[in-house]
Amino acid sequence: MIEENLRVVLRSIEESRAKRKLADPKEPVRLVAVTKNHEVHEMREAIACGVTDIGENRIQEAREKFAALERDAVRHLIGHLQKNKAKYAVSLFDLIHSVDTTELAQVLDKEAAKIGKVQDVLVQVNLAREATKSGVYEEELQPMLEAVDNLLHLRLCGLMCIAPNYENVEDVRPLFRRMYEIFQRTKEFPWKTANIIYLSMGMTHDYRIAVEEGANIVRVGTAIFGPRQY
Ligand SMILES: *Cc1c(COP(=O)(O)O)cnc(C)c1O
């Protein structure tokens, strides 16, 4: 099941990449298999099928599952992170997608310094200004990115967004297109240490559109592992 689902997702990503108009169709897309609320044996199976990147959204759950995993993958934190868990986040994850305040960035920097790590991070943008979602508003983005760029133990690698769940999935396209424009503009800024290479957007229901509009990381759970049991 996982193997077949994965094949379908990878094929869809390739098809969507070929349809890109603004972004480079040749630029590859990284698939993060989102394993939250799924069992360790499902993570194992996905990794055995060639998955190289896994995503979790909760520290405690990730900690237990990673400890049980023999063969590793690149680990992504995709969920909202509380400052008091920053310490665990830097010890567990390769890329943190969900940095949403300067205060959180500062705490992560401090914790990364303690373990002698430079932590790769993305800044989460709340482009649709949804009250239920975290992320910085567009007008706060540039100052926040500059603040993160100044932190020596964080390496700013790009931007992340979670789109609203529209009834008609096509309605999300202008938003993804706008994110891509912001990403391009961000790439061109003369940063001190940041290396802006990732635009993380797209989940099961909208990753095809996200890839068409220039996402180079997609975070897909349900389409690979089936529905989550809560
Ligand atoms: C759960 C989650 C996903 C994956 O969602 P699916 O709809 O199952 O693909 C992606 N990104 C974030 C931030 C998530 O929390």
Side-chain angles (χ1 to χ4, degrees):
M1 191 63 170
I2 290 177
E3 189 171 17
E4 176 54 25
N5 289 347
L6 200 59
R7 238 198 311 272
V8 171
V9 171
L10 289 171
R11 197 182 310 128
S12 301
I13 290 174
E14 289 314 296
E15 286 167 8
S16 300
R17 209 158 62 104
K19 284 192 210 158
R20 280 175 176 169
K21 292 193 181 74
L22 297 176
D24 179 1
K26 287 194 289 294
E27 192 198 28
V29 176
R30 204 156 165 174
L31 171 63
V32 175
V34 176
T35 49
K36 66 181 186 198
N37 287 87
H38 288 283
E39 305 286 335
V40 177
H41 72 86
E42 296 171 280
M43 295 170 98
R44 263 186 216 122
E45 188 178 339
I47 293 169
C49 294
V51 160
T52 55
D53 293 71
I54 51 180
E56 286 283 337
N57 71 334
R58 281 204 301 270
I59 297 290
Q60 184 60 30
E61 182 183 339
R63 214 165 151 196
E64 289 165 13
K65 285 155 76 176
F66 292 160
L69 209 60
E70 312 74 18
R71 251 175 82 184
D72 217 349
V74 179
R75 302 157 171 195
H76 299 253
L77 178 63
I78 59 171
H80 178 67
L81 176 64
Q82 290 167 315
K83 288 201 285 285
N84 61 3
K85 301 209 173 121
K87 177 173 126 183
Y88 304 109
V90 299
S91 71
L92 285 169
F93 290 98
D94 299 301
L95 180 63
I96 299 175
H97 291 225
S98 45
V99 177
D100 52 7
T101 62
T102 304
E103 293 72 33
L104 174 62
Q106 286 163 343
V107 178
L108 285 168
D109 179 68
K110 205 174 79 196
E111 294 298 340
K114 280 189 199 163
I115 60 167
K117 179 183 187 185
V118 176
Q119 175 69 55
D120 286 347
V121 299
L122 306 181
V123 165
Q124 183 175 349
V125 186
N126 189 352
L127 198 57
R129 315 179 83 86
E130 289 179 283
T132 53
K133 293 210 177 98
S134 40
V136 284
Y137 290 154
E138 196 181 340
E139 67 272 16
E140 298 161 354
L141 181 61
Q142 183 63 23
M144 159 126 180
L145 295 175
E146 288 178 33
V148 176
D149 187 42
N150 278 319
L151 297 171
L152 291 177
H153 292 88
L154 297 188
R155 188 189 296 112
L156 176 63
C157 300
L159 306 174
M160 180 268 223
C161 89
I162 306 173
N165 207 340
Y166 296 118
E167 206 169 307
N168 176 5
V169 69
E170 267 299 321
D171 290 347
V172 83
R173 192 180 290 279
L175 209 129
F176 283 157
R177 190 163 297 177
R178 177 80 190 119
M179 269 310 297
Y180 183 72
E181 285 168 11
I182 297 170
F183 175 59
Q184 287 301 104
R185 189 190 69 203
T186 304
K187 262 188 182 172
E188 284 156 20
F189 190 81
W191 302 106
K192 291 181 196 152
T193 62
N195 180 25
I196 307 297
I197 50 174
Y198 291 131
L199 178 57
S200 167
M201 59 186 191
M203 311 171 31
T204 290
H205 66 287
D206 58 11
Y207 73 93
R208 294 173 190 82
I209 298 174
V211 170
E212 284 176 33
E213 297 303 330
N216 58 16
I217 297 185
V218 291
R219 313 171 307 263
V220 180
T222 309
I224 299 172
F225 300 103
R228 286 178 286 274
Q229 314 290 333
Y230 287 96

